[in-house]
Amino acid sequence: MFKSTITTLVGFIFSCSLYAQELTPKETQLDKRLSALRNELLVKADQIKLSIYNSTFTQLKPFIESSALYKLLQSMPKGGLLHCHNGAIANPSWVISAAASYKNCYLYTGNDEKEFIYGQLAVFTKGHAPTGFVPLQQYLQHDKKSADSLLKLLTLNRHDLSDYMDTWVEFEKRFKRIGNLANYRPFFKEYYQEAFNELLKDNVQHVEIRYGFGQLFDENNDNYPADTAISDLKAIVAGIQRTHPDFTLKLIYSSFKFLDTTAVAKALSEAFQLKQKYPELITGFDLVADEATNHTVGYYTPVWNSIHTQEKRYGIAMPLYLHAGESSTIANTNLQEVPFQLNKRIGHGLNLVYFPETMQQVKTAHNLVEVSPISNQELGYVSDLRNHPARVLLANGVLISINSDDPGVYGYNGLSYDFWIAFMAWDLDLRTLKKLITNSLLYASLTEEEKKRALLHFYNEWNRFVEAANR
């Protein structure tokens, strides 16, 4: 089925000239402009002694935003964002502003404990807040720097991390700090409305979220079922589609690599049940968490071996979209343990360059690698972006797409920053940019008909972009 879908869609793409070897005259003109903009930026960065390739994102962000290249890339249609996580998509400055509108939102200012950590936001719908919490509105009014202090707690800045700090521990604290707030149903609905609007503004037409179902709550219910989150998300998308009919959303049910096989098997069964009820939204299954400290992909082989049986039972397919190879060491063998007969895409795949045979397996299985340049550097896997493994993957014909992973944790939103980084560091041209974007739609978890519509929309938007960029 997958091979048939790819064959049909590749034919469609060729008919639209998306994969034409030669650029059109107008595309050639734009390609030259992009190259000139890159050269100008390299000269400017040298003049101000800014290292583009290994500065922290916080240091580089103002330089990116001031560039004509960034403004051009913002206007470029970007197809699909295939790799991002719930609770880490919307801009963190917006999160603080929106949270402050709730009188029952509190901030924990006590010492770290098992249940709460410093800077954690929480909503309490009944009774008084526990000891150590202060109303967020009160905290923000305390002094002018309060919002900036909280923003630092919600974002990960590589520059602020000491050598002895565990980057992943600090990274996961950012999720814990907004976890309760993100599950408060009124805020939940605001959050995804904002997140999708931010992506639309950045010309992203399709979004796939690695989604971990939390415990939605409000004043009326302490624990809504997963159906409620799905219903809310579908309503938000339906509202957006009234003005942006080509916007689409899919959810990849995500569990955790620190759980044992029994717990993950239960999560997989829940994923099957939800996909059976909502096949238009739930599309696959994944496991997330730090690969260095948790179970390997191979540890869950008994779970993967149960998928065919469950597919027969529920009458639906459950493809995998596994995180694997988010590592800079050859000792991490997760990529070698991926069940490629079940897997569709690979999250990160940074150490794939160490395993030529596995790289060939990835190509044979038509697995696309979801690359997130900024995240990969901020988490310490790539020090110099010119040496990002994606360059090797591209040179060896491995299919990749550009993604943002957890932009809210790094203090930004959208995809333009990641495209800027990739374009500058990997010496990309317009032809490659177009292919990366097309990959994001061709290998999305859309149905064949949805892909055809998405590609046609992108093709039309691309032509408008090229026309406007050359004026």
Side-chain angles (χ1 to χ4, degrees):
M1 175 63 182
F2 179 68
K3 188 174 181 180
S4 172
T5 299
I6 291 298
T7 301
T8 301
L9 287 167
V10 167
F12 174 73
I13 291 169
F14 270 115
S15 70
C16 292
S17 301
L18 284 174
Y19 271 141
Q21 293 300 307
E22 298 299 327
L23 296 176
T24 66
K26 290 182 179 180
E27 286 175 327
T28 299
Q29 181 182 345
L30 179 55
D31 190 40
K32 290 178 180 178
R33 183 186 173 196
L34 285 166
S35 180
L37 288 174
R38 174 165 46 212
N39 292 336
E40 290 172 10
L41 284 170
L42 291 174
V43 171
K44 184 177 179 180
D46 185 60
Q47 290 173 342
I48 63 175
K49 307 301 180 186
L50 175 68
S51 176
I52 289 178
Y53 307 114
N54 50 32
S55 293
T56 67
F57 177 70
T58 306
Q59 292 170 318
L60 192 58
K61 188 168 180 272
F63 183 76
I64 294 175
E65 292 171 342
S66 68
S67 69
L69 175 63
Y70 176 68
K71 293 176 177 61
L72 184 60
L73 291 176
Q74 279 186 305
S75 68
M76 181 179 73
K78 298 172 187 67
L81 168 57
L82 301 185
H83 190 121
C84 61
H85 296 263
N86 59 309
I89 308 171
N91 191 295
S93 294
W94 175 88
V95 169
I96 294 172
S97 176
S101 69
Y102 294 97
K103 292 182 179 180
N104 56 355
C105 184
Y106 292 79
L107 180 75
Y108 185 69
T109 58
N111 295 325
D112 287 4
E113 299 176 354
K114 184 177 181 180
E115 188 174 0
F116 304 118
I117 61 171
Y118 182 76
Q120 184 170 340
L121 294 164
V123 172
F124 298 100
T125 58
K126 298 174 182 177
H128 297 289
T131 302
F133 279 91
V134 298
L136 178 60
Q137 293 177 351
Q138 176 184 315
Y139 171 83
L140 293 175
Q141 292 168 1
H142 180 65
D143 66 62
K144 295 180 179 180
K145 295 182 180 179
S146 296
D148 290 338
S149 298
L150 180 54
L151 184 63
K152 288 182 178 180
L153 291 170
L154 298 184
T155 54
L156 187 73
N157 183 354
R158 186 161 47 97
H159 182 73
D160 295 335
L161 298 178
S162 303
D163 290 338
Y164 63 85
M165 282 184 171
D166 187 317
T167 302
W168 264 86
V169 169
E170 293 301 312
F171 174 69
E172 289 172 345
K173 282 182 180 179
R174 274 63 186 171
F175 285 88
K176 185 167 184 176
R177 286 188 174 116
I178 73 160
N180 172 278
L181 172 66
N183 283 327
Y184 180 51
R185 192 179 177 196
F187 180 84
F188 171 89
K189 290 190 279 190
E190 270 197 272
Y191 182 92
Y192 284 101
Q193 182 73 56
E194 172 66 17
F196 298 154
N197 284 337
E198 289 173 358
L199 289 168
L200 280 167
K201 186 178 180 181
D202 203 40
N203 288 294
V204 175
Q205 70 183 73
H206 175 65
V207 185
E208 301 199 359
I209 306 175
R210 295 312 208 280
Y211 195 89
F213 284 89
Q215 185 176 316
L216 277 192
F217 71 98
D218 61 16
E219 286 77 6
N220 301 315
N221 193 327
D222 290 336
N223 186 8
Y224 283 100
D227 305 76
T228 302
I230 290 173
S231 176
D232 288 344
L233 288 170
K234 289 177 69 174
I236 292 167
V237 171
I240 289 172
Q241 288 175 338
R242 284 195 283 270
T243 53
H244 297 83
D246 293 287
F247 179 78
T248 47
L249 170 70
K250 302 293 182 184
L251 304 181
I252 297 170
Y253 188 110
S254 296
S255 187
F256 299 99
K257 291 177 180 174
F258 51 75
L259 298 175
D260 62 20
T261 53
T262 301
V264 170
K266 181 180 178 182
L268 179 63
S269 293
E270 291 171 353
F272 267 103
Q273 292 165 25
L274 285 174
K275 186 175 181 183
Q276 188 180 51
K277 293 171 70 174
Y278 308 103
E280 74 286 357
L281 189 62
I282 309 293
T283 58
F285 187 82
D286 187 20
L287 295 175
V288 302
D290 183 9
E291 293 187 31
T293 58
N294 293 295
H295 296 304
T296 65
V297 169
Y299 168 81
Y300 297 103
T301 296
V303 180
W304 312 144
N305 289 343
S306 75
I307 288 179
H308 285 313
T309 300
Q310 295 199 65
E311 286 179 334
K312 291 179 181 178
R313 175 185 174 188
Y314 289 98
I316 53 173
M318 183 62 73
L320 300 176
Y321 297 87
L322 291 176
H323 275 66
E326 189 177 10
S327 171
S328 56
T329 172
I330 198 170
N332 181 312
T333 59
N334 277 326
L335 280 164
Q336 294 172 298
E337 299 167 3
V338 170
F340 285 106
Q341 73 277 13
L342 300 169
N343 201 68
K344 298 292 188 183
R345 300 197 308 257
I346 293 169
H348 300 295
L350 290 168
N351 73 346
L352 182 58
V353 294
Y354 300 142
F355 308 109
E357 291 183 4
T358 306
M359 189 185 296
Q360 186 56 49
Q361 278 185 289
V362 168
K363 293 167 67 174
T364 301
H366 301 288
N367 270 211
L368 175 133
V369 178
E370 306 155 346
V371 176
S372 302
I374 293 172
S375 176
N376 298 155
Q377 187 178 53
E378 290 300 293
L379 287 178
Y381 297 115
V382 180
S383 57
D384 188 314
L385 284 161
R386 290 169 296 187
N387 298 327
H388 194 290
R391 299 189 76 175
V392 179
L393 299 182
L394 281 169
N396 282 274
V398 176
L399 294 162
I400 73 169
S401 68
I402 302 297
N403 303 275
S404 55
D405 197 16
D406 304 293
V409 173
Y410 307 121
Y412 72 102
N413 54 271
L415 264 181
S416 292
Y417 294 98
D418 286 277
F419 270 98
W420 191 99
I421 291 288
F423 180 78
M424 291 295 297
W426 305 345
D427 296 319
L428 302 183
D429 57 14
L430 189 66
R431 182 187 293 107
T432 308
L433 286 175
K434 187 165 66 171
K435 184 174 182 180
L436 293 174
I437 297 166
T438 308
N439 286 347
S440 73
L441 295 174
L442 184 59
Y443 289 85
S445 62
L446 296 161
T447 65
E448 185 169 350
E449 186 58 35
E450 287 173 331
K451 285 183 184 180
K452 190 171 182 178
R453 289 198 301 268
L455 286 163
L456 183 59
H457 175 71
F458 166 68
Y459 174 72
N460 292 331
E461 291 298 306
W462 180 265
N463 285 340
R464 280 193 277 269
F465 159 69
V466 172
E467 187 76 32
N470 281 323
R471 288 175 189 155

